[in-house]
Amino acid sequence: MNSKAQESLRLGKFVVECMKQRDHEPIIPILHDNVLLEVVFPFIKGEDKTGTRYQHGNAVVAAHLRESTQRTSEVKFDNETWRTTDDGWAIFQADSDITLADGRPFPQSYLFMFESFEGKIIRWLEYYNPVCAARAYGVTLDSVPYAT
């Protein structure tokens, strides 16, 4: 494993551990100022708001993390697998058992990909099952961008 992959893996594991604790504040300092969070199956159109496909910059991603914490009361991951790539990415795959703030269950499958630059996360791709998310949040699939 090369040093960039090691760094991405270390940072990615830190992010996931913070997510499990529902404590996103320690993540914010390890996000590069120019971080890009790409949510592959977004819930709303546009950019730089929680639920959109592209969220640019530390402040915007920090807002996304804070909003995620407010929407949940418990986060558990099962069947965790970590991998790295030759070009320096760390990949996390898991099933989750999330409880929303109102007590509803939110089962989900995740794939996170982390890339580091200058000791911080510069790119974070988030894949999840949009059908599970739509059901958990009471959104119809035809209202989800890219679902039609």
Side-chain angles (χ1 to χ4, degrees), residues 76-127:
K76 294 180 186 175
F77 292 109
D78 297 312
N79 306 315
E80 294 183 28
T81 304
W82 283 95
R83 295 177 180 85
T84 57
T85 65
D86 290 341
D87 60 347
W89 287 81
I91 303 167
F92 171 74
Q93 181 178 4
D95 298 319
S96 70
D97 216 358
I98 297 171
T99 304
L100 298 177
D102 66 5
R104 289 180 294 140
F106 178 22
Q108 186 56 273
S109 296
Y110 282 104
L111 181 71
F112 297 152
M113 298 176 66
F114 300 98
E115 181 181 26
S116 64
F117 178 71
E118 298 176 343
K120 296 188 175 199
I121 294 172
I122 187 73
R123 192 155 178 220
W124 174 353
L125 278 72
E126 186 172 319
Y127 294 82

Side-chain angles (χ1 to χ4, degrees), residues 13-47:
K13 284 185 172 185
F14 182 78
V15 167
V16 169
E17 288 306 312
C18 289
M19 292 175 80
K20 290 177 187 178
Q21 301 300 314
R22 295 185 56 257
D23 184 7
H24 292 91
E25 292 304 317
I27 298 171
I28 296 166
I30 66 163
L31 299 175
H32 194 279
D33 288 343
N34 297 317
V35 64
L36 170 63
L37 170 61
E38 182 177 350
V39 178
V40 179
F41 297 107
F43 269 85
I44 59 175
K45 292 181 180 181
E47 292 188 11

